[in-house]
Amino acid sequence: MKLTLLKRIGLVALMALVTSSSFVATAAERLVGASQTYSTIAAAIEAAADGDTIRITDSGVYTETLVINKRLDIVANAGQTPTIRTAAATLSSVITTTGANGGKFGSIDGGKITVDRNQPNSVGTASLFCFLVGGIDTGQTYTIENVYCTGFTTSAIAADQVAASTTPPITAVAYGVRGTLNINYVEMDKQLEASELVSASNPPIATGLRIVGSNTSLQINFGGTFNLLYTKIHRINSHGIVVNHSSSSHLQNITINLNNCEITTLQHGALTLGNNTNLTVNANETLFLGGGGPAAAHSSWECIRYSSNTPATYNPSGNINLTRCVMMLHPERGAQAVIGLRVSPNVNLTMDHCDVIAPLGGATSTLPARARNAIHFMSSTDRNITLTNNIIYGPERNDTNSTTTQGIVLDPTGVENNVVTLNHNNVFVSGTPYSANLTPGANEIIPAKDPMYLDRANWDFRTDNGSGLRTVSSTGGPIGTDRIFLNAVPVELSTFSLQ
């Protein structure tokens, strides 16, 4: 009896094992190319199942629009440089994700893929993207890697809800990124030159990464984490990264991590933050270059800016942490402070071993007073501001306001309960280092000394040995970044240059 029972138990277990194993799917690799099974990427996506890899085997130009609604890895063979380009002017994005959780587009181990929205700079059509990323749910991750984005008008990459469509067929998704979006080794390039800047709307403004806000019920990107690694945003004429700059919407619990990135703009700001509750920005060894602009409409943007349009409604709060970063404004067009925390109660700033450079050599006397400051904290309460081991290079104004330039300014009113900690900084400016209501730290370099950067024109932000700044900081080394910016990038990004 016992033997029979044991046999029955073993038989049941064996049947269960066989039954379960028969349903284990094996991921497939689907090859795309002129002589491969699939001649288009869209056809390979249609045939693929979750977990498959789609491999582009040549450097061809694929004129198509892709909708990724499965967990797929889409990569190019090493040595190949394919281009995906849309020809339909009515389609908003080249690539749309609606359920690609866990997937990946591009790979640092393969060839670089160009994603081209195919719109010339003179075309004013709005809302044209390279990537429209939606449907990345809480706890899920999507990765864009080793990709070159160009030809966009509104954004290279937009995190937003996705509307339904029949051509191509798209199922609506009510949210963008509530999980994690990784953007690694990506270049976002509008290919604009300064000579092409005419007015506020011509050419149409284009941002690099846009994280769209919403009302409380939609929660489009609430809780999203955005990781950018060795990513370059440049030759665009609006914000490098904009996180909900709207008076009628907001975001909650957003985290942005930037490591070894370059974010430069011809107009507006490099990093623009709006109505956000519990926002966290961590930037390490990243360059921020704000553009300002040739027209009056573009003269009021800081390089890094937080401004809540409706603080009473959306309760702004968060932490901005900058380590070994360089922040500067375009020397001829910049017209504001390099860093401006405007209406931003409960938004804290920590900055360590950074260079803040506000040359403003071409500014005129008609520009607003904030053009005379390197860092400006404006009319907000309950903030913790900690600045240590930084070189803060104030404006070199050539106009009638040159005697009133200031390095760090805290507005005299409306700033109750601000806690400001200054330590081991050098604030070099033609006017006064600090506003009257700020007290320098005990270890500040007083009087301030000229940083004497080795070659500022060529982006070498190391200080000269004779500058007197190679003094011991609070951590035992020199203050500021003290390095050739992004000199340690891997071979894959060796072509990155701001020249």
Side-chain angles (χ1 to χ4, degrees), residues 99-295:
N101 290 314
K104 186 174 186 179
F105 188 96
S107 172
I108 196 64
D109 297 322
K112 175 170 286 187
I113 303 174
T114 292
V115 179
D116 183 4
R117 185 55 191 78
N118 199 25
Q119 291 293 298
N121 292 336
S122 59
V123 174
T125 304
S127 301
L128 299 181
F129 319 103
C130 292
F131 287 87
L132 176 57
V133 182
I136 309 303
D137 209 350
T138 303
Q140 300 293 332
T141 299
Y142 191 69
T143 299
I144 302 172
E145 186 171 282
N146 198 21
V147 171
Y148 175 78
C149 298
T150 192
F152 51 92
T153 59
T154 300
S155 307
I157 301 175
D160 198 357
Q161 61 182 340
V162 180
S165 170
T166 55
T167 307
I170 297 176
T171 302
V173 178
Y175 57 93
V177 177
R178 294 177 181 171
T180 299
L181 176 62
N182 298 318
I183 301 173
N184 305 331
Y185 303 91
V186 171
E187 186 171 359
M188 309 178 205
D189 181 9
K190 177 63 176 167
Q191 299 187 22
L192 272 170
E193 302 298 337
S195 59
E196 296 181 81
L197 303 180
V198 179
S199 66
S201 59
N202 185 20
I205 59 174
T207 65
L209 171 63
R210 180 183 297 270
I211 304 172
V212 177
S214 61
N215 58 40
T216 303
S217 60
L218 283 178
Q219 300 186 6
I220 290 177
N221 289 303
F222 281 25
T225 296
F226 299 82
N227 300 319
L228 281 73
L229 173 67
Y230 286 112
T231 285
K232 180 175 183 177
I233 302 172
H234 69 132
R235 294 198 297 183
I236 61 175
N237 61 331
S238 190
H239 312 284
I241 299 175
V242 60
V243 187
N244 182 45
H245 195 264
S246 169
S247 61
S248 59
S249 62
H250 77 308
L251 287 169
Q252 293 182 10
N253 305 320
I254 296 292
T255 299
I256 301 172
N257 298 311
L258 305 168
N259 282 287
N260 289 90
C261 296
E262 296 184 20
I263 305 172
T264 72
T265 66
L266 294 170
Q267 294 176 161
H268 296 164
L271 177 62
T272 301
L273 311 168
N275 290 321
N276 290 275
T277 302
N278 195 27
L279 167 73
T280 299
V281 175
N282 301 309
N284 177 61
E285 298 191 5
T286 289
L287 169 64
F288 300 92
L289 170 61

Side-chain angles (χ1 to χ4, degrees), residues 290-294 329-335 359-364 367 398:
L329 284 172
H330 190 285
E332 296 300 322
R333 295 192 303 275
L360 296 175
T364 67
L367 294 175
N398 297 326

